[in-house]
Amino acid sequence: MTTAKAYAALSPKAPLEPFSFERRAPNDDDVVIDILYSGICHSDIHQVRDEWFPGIYPMVPGHEIVGKVRQVGAGVSRFKEGDTVGVGCFVDSCMKCQQRDVDREQYMMDQLAQTYNSLDRDGTPTYGGYSDHIVVKEGYVLSVPDTLPLDGAAPLLCAGITLYSPLRHWNAGPGKKVAIIGLGGLGHMGVKLAHAMGAEVTVLSQSLSKKDDALRLGADHYYATNDADTFTQLAGSFDLIINTVSAVIDWNAYLNLLKIDGTMVLVGVPENPVPVHAFSLLAGRRSLAGSCIGSIKETQEMLDFCGQHNIVSDIELISIEDVNAAYERVIKSDVRYRFVIDMASIK
């Protein structure tokens, strides 16, 4: 076992503070990773503050992890010391299955060991990426292209795959009109990825304040949703809409922007239920769907795609001692577009 230095919430809604704990000794199929960068995801805040489901405390958040391999177990064949690697939202899956479902494992929620705030196979809590190192089974470690800046690559492990998966599943590409609702940590990744896939990309954002950013990131069009004319002008326009916002908005109004047989996919999680009128779906044989991260297989595909197209997140790099202030800024949408912690700053 090795002692890890980290930041943790010691109790529900408590601020993060320095924390030490023991990482398990590596097994033959484990990879020991020195963490270089850890992204801050909005879900980190929800879980630290005990807002989604009962948390396991102390809680070390972080599931957007990039680092270098320190050590590999005797049975590891895909990685070696010094490799650049990543760890995403889960570190084990299909724990009761005879065979791992490599394409849909992310949806077997009761059989996932999440990277933090979860239980490993042995019943011990998992601790995440706001720490100096981590031990992960080889099958859940990802190769990160060396061509990408590693700090900007960290958010790909959650924000990137969260947008890549629905864009691929619903066939975003040439000839398809795709709208991204919200230009935040998730939405800006959707713009970059959909543009690289060859789709015609429109951003739907509350005001015109981020128009220049959206066009720089690859959007072809930008509309403010606080202008009622937007919904009249764009009615029946899109093959696919990805809704990244967690605020309660009128889904019926956005469903009306879909073409016949179009789909709106939810990746943001509103705090309260949102009503949907049947006619919003029936009138155009439209679909309302959801998508959640991606499998390890698909996450590697996403990383390779980003390596080929030089796609990373737009980030603000911070020191670990600034993490609590960063949380408050995320809640206020005061970041363009993702915070990443430089883990060299941990004392």
Side-chain angles (χ1 to χ4, degrees):
M1 299 180 74
T2 54
T3 301
K5 294 183 290 184
Y7 264 54
L10 302 185
S11 61
K13 298 180 173 44
L16 299 175
E17 61 181 79
F19 176 68
S20 295
F21 65 97
E22 296 298 317
R23 290 281 189 198
R24 73 167 189 267
N27 299 312
D28 285 349
D29 61 348
D30 278 331
V31 179
V32 183
I33 302 163
D34 287 322
I35 299 174
L36 300 177
Y37 300 102
S38 187
I40 293 178
C41 179
H42 208 144
S43 62
D44 296 344
I45 302 172
H46 286 300
Q47 293 189 73
V48 161
R49 299 185 176 183
D50 215 24
E51 293 173 346
W52 280 354
F53 44 80
I56 302 171
Y57 297 89
M59 186 188 300
V60 177
H63 58 208
E64 297 179 340
I65 299 166
V66 168
K68 293 284 187 180
V69 174
R70 177 200 299 181
Q71 178 187 347
V72 298
V76 171
S77 60
R78 292 175 47 238
F79 301 101
K80 64 182 185 306
E81 183 180 335
D83 283 351
T84 306
V85 296
V87 179
C89 296
F90 56 97
V91 291
D92 207 348
S93 67
C94 303
M95 294 189 287
K96 299 175 184 176
C97 303
Q98 291 184 345
Q99 185 174 351
R100 179 179 174 187
D101 185 341
V102 297
D103 293 308
R104 298 178 300 175
E105 59 190 342
Q106 73 272 26
Y107 294 112
M108 304 177 73
M109 297 294 186
D110 62 336
Q111 297 186 44
L112 282 184
Q114 297 181 69
T115 305
Y116 71 91
N117 195 25
S118 186
L119 296 177
D120 218 332
R121 281 182 186 258
D122 61 3
T124 60
T126 55
Y127 296 111
Y130 297 8
S131 57
D132 61 355
H133 74 282
I134 193 169
V135 181
V136 181
K137 291 173 65 174
E138 177 184 22
Y140 298 85
V141 178
L142 298 138
S143 296
V144 177
D146 288 319
T147 55
L148 297 178
L150 300 186
D151 50 1
L156 299 179
L157 277 303
C158 179
I161 186 58
T162 296
L163 272 296
Y164 181 90
S165 186
L167 288 168
R168 272 289 183 238
H169 184 79
W170 277 276
N171 300 310
K176 293 294 183 70
K177 292 187 176 182
V178 175
I180 306 293
I181 304 176
L183 192 68
L186 293 177
H188 93 288
M189 291 305 312
V191 172
K192 291 187 177 190
L193 291 164
H195 173 75
M197 291 174 182
E200 182 179 333
V201 184
T202 297
V203 170
L204 303 173
S205 189
Q206 189 172 17
S207 71
L208 293 174
S209 64
K210 296 181 179 179
K211 181 176 181 178
D212 289 344
D213 272 5
L215 299 179
R216 172 182 61 81
L217 293 167
D220 298 287
H221 314 286
Y222 184 103
Y223 292 88
T225 57
N226 62 6
D227 182 351
D229 288 343
T230 290
F231 293 92
T232 302
Q233 183 177 353
L234 297 179
S237 293
F238 301 109
D239 300 286
L240 177 64
I241 298 174
I242 309 290
N243 181 3
T244 73
V245 303
S246 296
V248 174
I249 59 176
D250 183 358
W251 289 354
N252 299 286
Y254 289 91
L255 286 165
N256 193 50
L257 303 184
L258 290 169
K259 296 179 179 179
I260 295 172
D261 290 329
T263 301
M264 184 165 82
V265 183
L266 309 177
V267 296
V269 184
E271 183 178 352
N272 298 308
V274 179
V276 175
H277 197 289
F279 279 113
S280 298
L281 302 173
L282 298 178
R285 198 164 61 188
R286 302 177 181 116
S287 298
L288 178 63
S291 180
C292 184
I293 54 173
S295 66
I296 297 299
K297 175 183 173 183
E298 189 175 45
T299 304
Q300 187 62 63
E301 177 186 307
M302 177 273 304
L303 287 168
D304 295 340
F305 180 87
C306 289
Q308 293 163 9
H309 294 273
N310 297 312
I311 295 173
V312 292
S313 184
D314 285 23
I315 68 161
E316 182 176 331
L317 192 65
I318 64 167
S319 298
I320 188 69
E321 58 264 26
D322 296 324
V323 66
N324 291 304
Y327 274 23
E328 296 303 322
R329 288 181 56 192
V330 168
I331 292 169
K332 297 175 183 176
S333 299
D334 180 26
V335 57
R336 295 195 178 181
Y337 283 94
R338 205 79 171 179
F339 283 116
V340 172
I341 304 168
D342 180 355
M343 294 312 302
S345 64
I346 199 163
K347 300 293 191 289

